[in-house]
Amino acid sequence: MQRVLRVPTGASGFGTGHAEDWNHQPEGRGFSEGLMKLRTHAFQRNAWYAAAMGDEVTRMPMRRIILGDPVVLFRTRAGGAAVLEDRCCHRLSPLSPGQLIDDTIECPYHGLCFDSEGVCTHVPGQVDVPEHARVRAYAVVERYGIVWIWGGQAAEADVTRMPDWRWVEDEGWTAKGGYFSIPCHYMMSVDNLMDLSHVGYVHKTTIGSALDGEEAEIDTFAEEDHVTVRRWTRNRPPPPAYAAKHGIEGLVDRWQVIEFRAPCHVRTFKGMGPNMYGAEGFEFTSAEADAPASALTVSRGNTCITPETGTSCHYFTVHCHRGHVEKERLNQIWASTVETLNQDVEILARTQENVAYNPDADLVFIHVDEGVEKARQLARMAVRKEERA
Ligand code: FES
Ligand SMILES: [Fe+2]
């Protein structure tokens, strides 16, 4: 078992931040220091957040809370997704229970209408529409089967900062995704992905075995804008439930590469097969790495965990499997994924519930937490940077 933090030569790593950006020196720390605590309502604004699966957004307006703000999502007649603040500028009623009239949404309280840019176009019984009568409109991009919004000012939206989930659009991969509502702080859900030692316990009936916790070799690679955790279990039987579902026999090397980028974007690269460890030409140090053709399973998880409130989040994920997977088989795999993720939802919900009883409780740092800590630092630094600007 290893506990390694590697900052690649030439990378500035975490050394460039202001000293107050972390609670302690990130390298050379002892296990006696606690894990960094979360700030409940500190959200990065200038970033892309998954707001809804594409098929959730229809001509029936839908309300969702994102970054602590109510938004309403609907489609225009041309099919484009529109996302507005779900709070009428007249007397603050939600717009979402209102009806769509062509491409405008009518407030259900006194009938003001707003177009997809948030501009009020009609005040019943009044000729002039006040100039400042408008609600916030979000910059929207629809991609990877998901409607994304920019959390900051729409005019500053930067499409080059969209997460790269290229496999979703690649014909060499088969993709399927979905949405989960999780009643926990979004970084607790990120923690859950950055530290897969839970797999042997939370998921022992689905994708895990005790080996995941006891025998994994863990490396953490910290870069300036992302952190990657790599886990190997070598020459071991695959988890029994997983082996049965995928028809895998014999001993395998299993890798799990997990990458976090602020504010809440996580990509995973996982798979297994005989003699994968040390396969020539395959480094497995990045979520974008390739796997040998002889791997028995290769998958990539693309996930955005959008904060809802300080104690809840929206979990959007699209899983990609290498090669062509028949629809029926894909649905079976997805059903298993849903079962697995619901196990995470349950433990996270219970944990968040416990946090509420003592939000200031100290946390014990153990060897599996290196990636968790680095992700929390990156997220916090991004928020601090905006707060100082
Ligand atoms: S609150 Fe919306 S029209 Fe009055
Ligand atoms: Fe999990």
Side-chain angles (χ1 to χ4, degrees), residues 199-252:
V199 167
Y201 305 94
V202 175
H203 304 306
K204 59 177 166 244
T205 60
T206 49
I207 57 168
S209 78
L211 293 176
D212 291 303
E214 297 294 349
E215 294 198 353
E217 296 177 13
I218 306 170
D219 292 275
T220 303
F221 306 94
E223 303 275 356
E224 188 170 6
D225 63 350
H226 67 280
V227 54
T228 306
V229 175
R230 179 184 63 189
R231 298 167 54 88
W232 279 106
T233 48
R234 293 162 59 184
N235 210 29
R236 288 285 179 267
Y242 193 88
K245 276 178 190 151
H246 290 265
I248 297 172
E249 294 174 355
L251 303 180
V252 293

Side-chain angles (χ1 to χ4, degrees), residues 192-193 195-196 198-199 202-203 207 340-341 343-344 347:
N192 176 267
L193 287 168
D195 163 28
L196 292 181
H198 76 273
V199 167
V202 175
H203 304 306
I207 57 168
T340 303
L341 285 172
Q343 292 173 324
D344 288 314
I347 192 81

Side-chain angles (χ1 to χ4, degrees), residues 50 52-53 144-146 148 165 168 175-180 182 189 193 266-268 270 300-306 314-320 334 337-338 341:
M53 299 303 291
Y144 309 130
I146 287 173
W148 302 79
W165 294 3
V168 179
K176 189 166 177 67
Y179 164 75
F180 299 79
I182 311 185
S189 184
L193 287 168
V266 180
R267 301 189 299 182
T268 61
K270 301 179 190 173
R300 298 183 187 275
N302 304 283
T303 304
C304 178
I305 307 169
T306 301
H314 305 291
Y315 187 103
F316 296 89
T317 192
V318 182
H319 285 205
C320 302
W334 179 247
T337 302
V338 170
L341 285 172

